[in-house]
Amino acid sequence: MTQVHPDIAEIVISEEEIQDKISELAKQITEDYRDKDLLLVGVLKGAFVFMSDIARQVQLPLEFDFMAVSSYGSATKSSGVVRILKDLDYEITDRHVLLVEDIIDSGLTISYLLRYLEARRPASLQICSLFWKKGEQAVPLDVKYPGFEIPPVFVVGYGLDYAEKYRNLPYIGILKPEAYGGKAP
Ligand code: IMP
Ligand code: MG
């Protein structure tokens, strides 16, 4: 039984549900990329927890790369402005790229990254996102490996932060109002 963090009002998706979903997604990825040269591109910082878990369940040789982008700062609503803080280390031309993201909210971050990576002519480019917020996407997105649809509320845990905290929780949950220091998200 997971000890619930005192700042969490409610668990939205449990550790067990997350791990079961990851096994399912990893199985699908293993089938789809057999005999392909797979490169996972994680979006820092949020996706590093998810990428670490899913990568270890994909039964294929693969490589990692990471990009770091900033779209939120420490506020809780998307600004729509994406800034690249860290670019890829490797060329992705002619490679099979799977973009690994923690959560899709407005979809602006991932759409920007798709355009950015597409311009480098990968052999293929797909998205794997563990969470997406219901009804919030400003742009239609084709997510080949989707995890959970969640309500359009601000959540923390499993890589997701509020002011850089809570990323290490093994589940996702909603914060108690007092954890925001009086400011509602
Ligand atoms: P989008 O550009 O609106 O889709 O926002 C995507 C990014 O915002 C994600 O990669 C997260 O880093 C962050 N984000 C979106 N929703 C949440 C949330 O509920 N909690 C924490 N971070 C979030
Ligand atoms: Mg993110």
Side-chain angles (χ1 to χ4, degrees):
M1 205 28 215
T2 310
Q3 185 86 36
V4 180
H5 191 289
D7 292 352
I8 296 293
E10 189 195 323
I11 292 181
V12 177
I13 311 276
S14 72
E15 176 173 11
E16 197 189 354
E17 289 174 295
I18 290 175
Q19 294 304 329
D20 286 354
K21 181 68 76 180
I22 289 175
S23 301
E24 256 175 57
L25 292 171
K27 204 162 153 248
Q28 193 61 50
I29 291 167
T30 303
E31 282 170 24
D32 293 353
Y33 288 90
R34 206 170 289 291
D35 305 320
K36 292 200 174 113
D37 174 28
L38 175 59
L39 177 69
L40 298 183
V41 173
V43 186
L44 295 173
K45 301 173 195 168
F48 95 100
V49 177
F50 175 40
M51 181 139 146
S52 158
D53 279 351
I54 197 162
R56 285 177 292 169
Q57 294 214 36
V58 174
Q59 307 289 308
L60 295 173
L62 53 76
E63 291 172 28
F64 288 178
D65 206 343
F66 291 97
M67 287 188 71
V69 296
S70 136
S71 55
Y72 269 25
S74 60
T76 56
K77 271 288 156 198
S78 185
S79 62
V81 177
V82 177
R83 204 154 54 95
I84 293 181
L85 305 176
K86 183 214 166 291
D87 205 342
L88 294 170
D89 289 336
Y90 306 110
E91 289 296 328
I92 58 164
T93 310
D94 298 329
R95 304 217 45 195
H96 292 280
V97 176
L98 181 57
L99 191 54
V100 179
E101 180 58 306
D102 48 6
I103 189 164
I104 296 173
D105 183 3
S106 68
L108 293 167
T109 307
I110 206 89
S111 323
Y112 177 88
L113 286 173
L114 278 180
R115 283 198 306 276
Y116 185 84
L117 295 174
E118 199 62 70
R120 278 151 188 74
R121 307 248 163 257
S124 69
L125 177 59
Q126 299 293 348
I127 305 170
C128 177
S129 181
L130 188 55
F131 307 108
W132 76 101
K133 288 191 187 167
K134 197 177 158 82
E136 294 294 285
Q137 284 80 59
V139 276
L141 278 174
D142 183 13
V143 181
K144 181 146 189 207
Y145 305 99
F148 300 93
E149 182 175 75
I150 62 164
V153 292
F154 191 78
V155 289
V156 296
Y158 204 73
L160 298 170
D161 73 308
Y162 171 67
E164 295 299 329
K165 288 193 290 187
Y166 310 107
R167 293 192 195 272
N168 60 329
L169 302 182
Y171 48 81
I172 61 160
I174 299 169
L175 283 176
K176 290 178 183 167
E178 51 272 32
Y180 294 108
K183 287 180 278 142

